[in-house]
Amino acid sequence: MRIGSNTTGFVRIAAGCFRTRPGEPGKNAATMRPLFEEAGRTDADLLVLPELALTGYTAGDLLLRAGLLGAVDEALPELFEASRTAAPETIILAGAPVRADGRLFNCALFMQAGRLLAVVPKSFLPNYQEFYEARWFSPASEAVSTEVELCGMRAPFGTDLIVESESGLRVAAEICEDLWVGTPPGVGAAAAGANVVANLSASNETTGKSAFRRDLVRLASARSLCAYAYASSGPGESTTDLVWSGHLLIAAGGRIAAESIWRPALVSAVVDLERIELERVRLRTAQEGAGVRPGDYRRVRALPTPAAKRALWPDAVEPMPFVPKSSGRRVERCREILRMQAAGLSERLQKTGIRRLVIGVSGGLDSTLALLVAREAFDALGRDPADIIGISMPGFGTSAKTKESAAALMRALGVTSRTIDVRPACLQHFRDIGHPEDRYDVVFENAQARERTQILMDVANAEGGLVLGTSDMSELALGWATFNGDHMSMYAVNAGVPKTLVKHLVETVGIEHAELKPILDAIVSTEISPELLPPDAAGRIQSTEGTIGPYALHDFFLFHLMRNGFARAKIVRLAKTAFPGTPPEEIERVAEIFFRRFYAQQYKRSSMPDGPKIGSVALSPRGDLRLPSDLGGVE
């Protein structure tokens, strides 16, 4: 999808603050110039500065004096000139008092390349506790004019303005308190098409306020499906009995993308406008609930910004979208997922009245995760773990390491352990169908998977149990499971977990249960393999990633296809940015495997068993992925 003239959909949004000098517009204008220059050097498409940045928020009653208002008039030309020479392509938002209709308004000035684009007055004026804005300003509702003139330039004036550029930016402005009210102005602007809401703020600090403010910004970006850029006044405002931190925040889609506090700074983040557009197409209620129409807003045309001609930034894309970067957040996320898996399984057991679980335990990552979840579910229900029947089913490619890992794990968890060798039954089957036992083809591999499933199902029938599936979401996406073999179970507990996250879930259990850690570490360090073929002449075992490519790439493709709805060409382009150490031709090769298998293997997902939905990406045909089973492919 092309966003205007922006071929990537990405823009860079910046927010900055500086050491304000209250009551000195000329000095503040000069101090803002280095921020303009830094925004220009980094190819920022939008720069947001604080509320009343030109005068300082704490100028107080000076705002009612002709001397300060005259100084504002004298400083504005310098500000516009700086926008022309320091960052001519960047749309800049800065706060200043503006006189109109015999009133004084607290305004956000849109400027670019020396031009005044638009002026947005503040809608809601706080007049409680330490705030006295109604003493100095009129609210936007009292404005009569729809245009104002500054420095000989006329520009649209009002809260119904969206500034848009060929790069795909559509920016609306709020000012401080506007964010804190029940229905912020940005909600309507976003519903009318703005994909970025900028908030110019002067929010002082009190205990706990920064965390609350962060949540407001994050949730504003989630509620309105937009990017949200917030810039608050810095420490220069701390002149009397209040403290100012210079809190800067950029959020998109409910996530904080950049933040700074307690220092003059400029922060920036790369935001994907195409993702916002596709999310709005998918989740239409955000626009429907606002009660506005696009025609309710005036559009102001800006010049093209840097994104109209720039390639991808190196920091634009996370290589592991399913895995949080922060170790603390990662562990927290894993704990939450484990609880969800166990809760779903617990409820299934209670609803069906089934007392026992049957699970194939291979010593690999997926069956390990399923067994750990089963034990947690049984603990929550107060049930005897001996009613979990773990079955090791060695085949022609089973290694001593995985066999021992499976046995050690079952012993440590106190589950009932059985071993049933599938080789004799498979050899008999080969004789029955006339298949050479040394022909290592798909029949050779799938016969083992189906024999194992038959064992699990029959044991479950004999024990009055439920077969717990182990396949993860990445395998389901690729169809990397034998149809009516390991593809089938009675409850697919791992179906919502991608492969790149599975190992972190297993590691998290090891962190919390020291007695299991050596066993789990050994399992995590084992190469991923279906272990269906004997080792080759050199002793090398069958390698899953050696055949289909790295799961890191497959999960990357899966996330951007399912979560963002991107086209294949863009996903591959993003992957080449996210994985700079991987040869481009390898990325192309793995992409070909992923997209071919993803569409061709839909028929397996169409008949997959129930499993708990864990994240926003899921493959259940009963609500998350409704595709025809004979779909050949979509590029």
Side-chain angles (χ1 to χ4, degrees):
M1 179 185 291
R2 189 182 185 93
I3 305 294
S5 58
N6 183 346
T7 60
T8 68
F10 287 90
V11 294
R12 183 175 289 280
I13 298 173
C17 68
F18 58 98
R19 190 167 293 280
T20 317
R21 297 175 70 100
E24 300 187 62
K27 291 181 178 178
N28 289 330
T31 307
M32 279 189 260
R33 183 182 180 91
L35 290 175
F36 290 15
E37 292 171 344
E38 186 175 351
R41 283 194 303 272
T42 58
D43 280 345
D45 297 278
L46 174 68
L47 170 62
V48 182
L49 296 172
E51 176 181 15
L52 295 175
L54 195 59
T55 60
Y57 183 80
T58 54
D61 283 353
L62 291 176
L63 290 162
L64 300 177
R65 303 293 186 265
L68 180 59
L69 297 178
V72 168
D73 293 338
E74 293 172 2
L76 280 173
E78 182 179 351
L79 202 62
F80 289 121
E81 178 62 15
S83 77
R84 185 184 71 82
T85 57
E89 295 180 306
T90 303
I91 296 171
I92 298 171
L93 269 163
V98 172
R99 286 175 283 182
D101 304 326
R103 296 171 173 84
L104 186 65
F105 295 93
N106 181 348
C107 292
L109 309 184
F110 280 91
M111 64 191 85
Q112 184 189 38
R115 298 167 54 223
L116 176 65
L117 299 176
V119 179
V120 177
K122 188 171 183 175
S123 294
F124 298 95
L125 305 180
N127 214 54
Y128 52 82
Q129 294 178 322
E130 59 263 43
F131 302 108
Y132 307 95
E133 287 189 41
R135 181 183 177 97
W136 311 305
F137 298 110
S138 296
S141 59
E142 293 184 9
V144 176
S145 301
T146 57
E147 287 187 337
V148 293
E149 182 174 322
L150 297 176
C151 298
M153 294 180 283
R154 294 197 67 78
F157 177 63
T159 58
D160 59 340
L161 301 175
I162 297 175
V163 174
E164 59 183 16
S165 164
E166 287 181 19
S167 57
L169 273 171
R170 296 191 296 274
V171 187
E174 297 180 335
I175 303 176
C176 200
E177 186 77 4
D178 292 348
L179 171 63
W180 298 70
V181 300
T183 305
V187 171
N195 49 28
V196 180
V197 176
N199 188 296
L200 296 74
S201 182
S203 180
N204 65 299
E205 290 301 330
T206 55
T207 303
K209 190 175 181 181
S210 63
F212 187 75
R213 187 190 299 122
R214 183 183 301 110
D215 282 343
L216 280 178
V217 169
R218 181 178 61 80
L219 293 173
S221 75
R223 176 184 56 218
S224 295
L225 301 177
C226 67
Y228 199 99
Y230 178 95
S232 185
S233 299
E237 299 278 14
S238 303
T239 57
T240 51
D241 55 349
L242 300 179
V243 176
W244 311 80
S245 67
H247 203 176
L248 307 174
L249 291 156
I250 299 170
R255 297 180 62 186
I256 299 296
E259 181 175 14
S260 176
I261 193 168
W262 294 115
R263 61 187 179 91
L266 184 143
V267 300
S268 67
V270 177
V271 172
D272 191 342
L273 298 181
E274 183 182 1
R275 178 176 178 176
I276 290 171
E277 299 298 318
L278 289 169
E279 194 81 337
R280 288 178 171 182
V281 169
R282 189 169 64 91
L283 303 173
R284 296 186 297 277
T285 51
Q287 287 84 355
E288 293 169 357
V292 301
R293 298 166 299 172
D296 294 337
Y297 282 74
R298 291 178 286 166
R299 302 298 179 108
V300 180
R301 195 70 176 168
L303 298 172
T305 62
K309 65 179 189 303
R310 201 193 192 289
L312 280 173
W313 287 270
D315 62 343
V317 195
E318 291 292 337
M320 297 288 180
F322 287 114
V323 182
K325 285 194 298 184
S326 159
S327 59
R329 187 161 165 261
R330 188 165 58 243
V331 169
E332 181 183 349
R333 175 74 56 81
C334 288
R335 286 172 178 155
E336 180 184 19
I337 292 171
L338 289 163
R339 283 194 297 270
M340 291 175 67
Q341 288 181 279
L345 177 57
S346 298
E347 194 63 24
R348 177 56 58 99
L349 291 170
Q350 291 185 91
K351 286 291 199 311
T352 59
I354 292 175
R355 302 292 304 176
R356 291 180 176 170
L357 283 179
V358 179
I359 177 172
V361 184
S362 68
L365 278 171
D366 293 337
S367 66
T368 295
L369 175 59
L371 187 57
L372 293 170
V373 170
R375 175 58 198 265
E376 183 168 337
F378 267 53
D379 288 347
L381 293 171
R383 295 188 180 181
D384 186 349
D387 282 336
I388 301 172
I389 302 170
I391 305 179
S392 172
M393 295 172 284
F396 298 105
T398 301
S399 67
K401 181 180 181 182
T402 55
K403 187 176 179 181
E404 175 51 36
S405 292
L409 182 62
M410 288 189 281
R411 283 194 303 270
L413 292 175
V415 306
T416 297
S417 174
R418 299 184 188 178
T419 298
I420 302 175
D421 193 329
V422 303
R423 287 172 291 186
C426 289
L427 290 172
Q428 179 62 52
H429 179 62
F430 294 151
R431 288 192 292 271
D432 291 342
I433 66 173
H435 186 277
E437 62 185 55
D438 59 351
R439 182 188 292 168
Y440 301 143
D441 58 4
V442 66
V443 175
F444 185 90
E445 294 190 48
N446 286 350
Q448 297 170 73
R450 292 195 178 103
E451 177 60 26
R452 286 168 173 155
T453 300
Q454 177 176 260
I455 290 170
L456 295 172
M457 293 289 183
D458 289 345
V459 170
N461 288 163
E463 298 286 348
L466 179 149
V467 175
L468 194 63
T470 63
S471 290
D472 62 55
M473 184 166 64
S474 306
E475 292 178 340
L476 294 170
L478 292 164
W480 196 251
T482 300
F483 189 71
N484 205 33
D486 53 326
H487 145 266
M488 189 49 62
S489 66
M490 297 173 183
Y491 190 73
V493 74
N494 291 339
V497 183
K499 182 75 80 176
T500 49
L501 199 51
V502 170
K503 80 167 189 174
H504 294 291
L505 290 165
V506 172
E507 287 174 337
T508 297
V509 176
I511 292 171
E512 298 183 342
H513 298 275
E515 73 281 6
L516 297 177
K517 192 174 189 307
I519 302 170
L520 300 181
D521 286 349
I523 292 169
V524 168
S525 66
T526 302
E527 182 174 4
I528 299 171
S529 171
E531 293 194 329
L532 295 170
L533 300 179
D536 63 16
R540 291 186 295 264
I541 67 168
Q542 186 181 13
S543 169
T544 297
E545 292 183 300
T547 302
I548 61 173
Y551 271 113
L553 280 174
H554 287 297
D555 281 0
F556 183 90
F557 299 148
L558 176 63
F559 179 88
H560 289 290
L561 176 67
M562 289 295 299
R563 179 65 180 82
N564 295 333
F566 293 158
R568 174 175 172 172
K570 176 168 180 174
I571 295 172
V572 171
R573 185 176 183 183
L574 295 180
K576 291 175 180 177
T577 298
F579 297 90
T582 303
E585 58 272 18
E586 172 66 3
I587 291 174
E588 295 277 2
R589 182 188 76 84
V590 178
E592 174 60 29
I593 293 170
F594 174 83
F595 284 96
R596 174 173 52 80
R597 292 192 64 97
F598 180 84
Y599 290 113
Q601 300 289 306
Q602 173 62 29
Y603 72 97
K604 293 180 182 177
R605 297 188 292 269
S606 294
S607 57
M608 64 187 279
D610 290 345
K613 181 175 180 178
I614 299 301
S616 58
V617 175
L619 299 177
S620 169
R622 290 170 289 278
D624 298 294
L625 184 64
R626 298 189 178 188
L627 297 177
S629 293
D630 57 353
L631 189 65
V634 176
E635 296 297 319

